[in-house]
Amino acid sequence: MKPIISLPKTGALVVAVFVAVTTLLFVGNAEPADGFKPVPLPDPGIKGYSFPEPEDTILKWVNDNNQHAINLHAWGLWTALTSETDEIYAGQKLRVFETWLTPQDILAESEVRAARTSTPRPFEAFRQLSRHGAARETGGATVLGFVKYDPTAAQHIIDNKLLSKAALTKMLTTGETQIPDFPVTGVSLKPVFQPIAQKDLVDGRYYQMAAWPGPPGKTPPGPSVPFPSAVWGQCVWIDLMNEGRGDGSVDKKCDRGGASRTPQNTYNVSSLIHFVLTEQEVKLLNAQNLAQWRQAVQEAEKEKKAAPPKPNPLTAGDYAVLQAMHVTSREITRWTWQTFWWSPSPDTPHFPSSAAIANDRPPQLKGAPRNYAHAPAYSMLFPPQPNTGGTNTGNSVYAYNPWLEAGFSKSVLPDSIPGMYNGMKVPNNVGIQTNCMSCHAQANFNPNNIPNAPDYTGDRYIDLDSPQFKGTLKVDFLWSIPGNAK
């Protein structure tokens, strides 16, 4: 896969490295201002994969511990949503997930044309990550990105006014205990990105990016400590000129001046899903980066810590590369959960992924998307427990994204309780001991600030009829509903 644009081999270049994101869109029959529209999840033609799968089929995989079927299904979703479409924005072809709607698109439904003109990509710090200061614990610069919904999930949100606090409150006050279930075709994504400026490049072309080494300690899941990217102790170099010869090696010295860079630990930008930033996106990013930096400085002053360096400005034409993404589908009551991140060794990725998961990649998954690792969470524990009336017994199932949850400390996961992993008692109270399904099962709308309402948690069993939900409105596993409702 070649870069989207050709770049000169001289002069300083500016790169933005982040999880791919994209565009403001329409639903219904309206045509978007720039001529592209949301694309439904396609059939990638993978043998043994179909979407949506019946709930009974997926639950049988889970009960039988059929990891091959689970892995293949996750890879099928990834293959479909990263497929290129015929839709174009700013002269660049869009992938399927790039055409989907964000909460901001839905909130601006009646004013989409104006919103698209001013903010075509509404980059922001994740609202969910502001909870308990989680955004400060990811390890690097503020994690930016946004949530995406496939067209059927977006339409469900619009039809039921699920991003209206007034509508959610009405459901709660009229005796509802949960929002209407999403359709089985519903898919939600959480991409993230990190902007990088010219002064962060070496020789105007090489960007140093942290590389996930797996959890700390000799064996998974690792000790009960936060493990953000700032302490991973290894990195890779991304070459904007596509002349790298990365062979799975990493740089364990990570010299900021590039002295430790070698051809073997240098990877081409074309090995990552990537696109080019527009002038409008750059203006938005620069404004947000500056605002977030000022907030970080204030927090540092309060805590009597060193202030972070001021971010360098971006310019139009900079690259953007996909770094990681959460993906969930409503095919089962508790949704399927899979999380993806770029890996320099995609054939043998580190825990919580594995070589066995990588070996299940279908041949239809080609190019840059094939260089991503994934970890699935189709149950909280094994053997799996029922949706209601179960217990927190069994082997913990871990699935988290290195770029998001790995840095979380105990304070971010206040509802955690201990569990077991391979016969050992584990606290399951930090990011490297989490499961997407467990934390999202707690999602609720709590306008009355009821004490002890369900909150973020490490891996454990969640009873969907837990009395802890009393007085709250369950939001079908999506924290993005209360997190974005206006």
Side-chain angles (χ1 to χ4, degrees):
M1 178 176 174
K2 295 181 178 179
I4 295 174
I5 58 173
S6 59
L7 296 174
K9 293 193 175 183
T10 59
L13 299 171
V14 183
V15 63
V17 175
F18 60 89
V19 170
V21 305
T22 54
T23 53
L24 284 167
L25 311 160
F26 276 83
V27 287
N29 296 320
E31 280 297 318
D34 287 315
F36 68 88
K37 58 184 179 295
V39 175
L41 196 70
D43 180 356
I46 297 170
K47 183 178 180 180
Y49 166 83
S50 64
F51 179 87
E53 281 281 7
E55 182 162 14
D56 288 347
T57 298
I58 295 179
L59 293 182
K60 188 175 189 309
W61 298 342
V62 175
N63 290 323
D64 293 345
N65 198 24
N66 187 345
Q67 290 301 311
H68 169 71
I70 291 171
N71 296 340
L72 182 64
H73 194 66
W75 284 126
L77 287 168
W78 179 247
T79 304
L81 65 90
T82 59
S83 300
E84 286 191 341
T85 73
D86 291 331
E87 304 301 321
I88 295 176
Y89 175 75
Q92 303 172 61
K93 272 196 170 185
L94 300 178
R95 296 178 188 269
V96 171
F97 79 90
E98 294 181 288
T99 70
W100 292 357
L101 281 82
T102 67
Q104 290 70 32
D105 301 334
I106 295 171
L107 287 166
E109 181 190 5
S110 63
E111 301 176 2
V112 170
R113 291 182 186 276
R116 284 177 56 79
T117 300
S118 59
T119 55
R121 291 174 176 138
F123 305 143
E124 62 180 8
F126 278 123
R127 291 185 177 152
Q128 297 95 308
L129 288 184
S130 65
R131 198 177 183 95
H132 308 303
R136 296 195 302 272
E137 303 194 9
T138 53
T142 302
V143 172
L144 301 174
F146 47 81
V147 172
K148 288 272 188 176
Y149 303 110
D150 88 287
T152 65
Q155 194 63 56
H156 178 76
I157 292 171
I158 291 170
D159 291 345
N160 292 281
K161 298 180 173 60
L162 298 183
L163 293 183
S164 164
K165 286 186 177 180
L168 295 175
T169 300
K170 183 178 180 180
M171 292 181 201
L172 186 59
T173 56
T174 56
E176 298 293 337
T177 60
Q178 61 186 38
I179 64 174
D181 291 343
F182 274 74
V184 295
T185 53
V187 178
S188 178
L189 313 173
K190 185 187 289 184
V192 298
F193 68 92
Q194 180 182 3
I196 305 296
Q198 181 177 5
K199 291 184 180 179
D200 294 300
L201 296 175
V202 171
D203 296 335
R205 61 185 287 187
Y206 301 114
Y207 167 63
Q208 184 187 111
M209 185 170 74
W212 173 243
K218 294 181 179 180
T219 58
S224 185
V225 295
F227 195 50
S229 60
V231 298
W232 289 352
Q234 61 182 42
C235 63
V236 295
W237 296 85
I238 307 301
D239 183 9
L240 301 189
M241 300 302 183
N242 282 324
E243 295 177 357
R245 299 202 301 271
D247 62 2
S249 299
V250 296
D251 180 354
K252 295 194 175 183
K253 294 183 179 179
C254 300
D255 178 79
R256 295 305 302 180
S260 55
R261 188 194 65 79
T262 68
Q264 290 72 34
N265 61 35
T266 302
Y267 298 80
N268 295 330
V269 67
S270 62
S271 72
L272 298 93
I273 294 173
H274 64 285
F275 63 93
V276 177
L277 289 169
T278 66
E279 185 174 351
Q280 288 177 314
E281 291 165 338
V282 163
K283 288 181 180 178
L284 178 62
L285 280 168
N286 284 337
Q288 292 203 19
N289 288 343
L290 186 58
Q292 287 153 8
W293 172 74
R294 287 171 176 164
Q295 182 179 354
V297 169
Q298 292 177 352
E299 292 174 351
E301 290 175 349
K302 290 179 181 178
E303 298 174 4
K304 296 182 178 180
K305 295 181 179 179
K310 187 176 182 179
N312 295 306
L314 300 161
T315 59
D318 295 347
Y319 273 115
V321 301
L322 185 68
Q323 201 170 44
M325 188 193 299
H326 283 328
V327 179
T328 182
S329 70
R330 187 46 168 88
E331 295 167 278
I332 61 177
T333 301
R334 295 190 293 204
W335 298 66
T336 73
W337 302 87
Q338 38 270 304
T339 189
F340 300 83
W341 64 93
W342 183 84
S343 172
S345 54
D347 294 340
T348 55
H350 294 293
F351 188 90
S353 194
S354 67
I357 293 175
N359 287 339
D360 286 328
R361 288 173 297 177
Q364 289 83 355
L365 182 60
K366 299 178 180 179
R370 196 173 178 86
N371 294 322
Y372 290 75
H374 100 253
Y378 284 30
S379 68
M380 306 171 200
L381 306 168
F382 188 82
Q385 294 289 313
N387 289 343
T388 61
T391 59
N392 191 50
T393 57
N395 201 44
S396 298
V397 175
Y398 297 118
Y400 56 88
N401 198 294
W403 290 102
L404 282 169
E405 293 83 17
F408 288 0
S409 66
K410 300 174 185 178
S411 63
V412 179
L413 305 165
D415 269 16
S416 301
I417 60 175
M420 298 294 294
Y421 184 73
N422 290 350
M424 301 180 298
K425 188 174 182 179
V426 282
N428 284 352
N429 60 359
V430 293
I432 59 173
Q433 297 171 358
T434 55
N435 176 304
C436 304
M437 183 182 285
S438 295
C439 200
H440 279 267
Q442 299 275 78
N444 65 89
F445 176 62
N446 181 22
N448 298 318
N449 296 316
I450 294 174
N452 302 317
D455 208 332
Y456 288 178
T457 179
D459 182 42
R460 69 179 178 96
Y461 172 70
I462 305 296
D463 189 327
L464 298 188
D465 282 344
S466 169
Q468 196 177 4
F469 285 105
K470 186 177 180 180
T472 72
L473 185 73
K474 288 182 284 188
V475 289
D476 204 5
F477 285 70
L478 296 184
W479 284 109
S480 60
I481 297 298
N484 290 282
K486 301 292 187 183

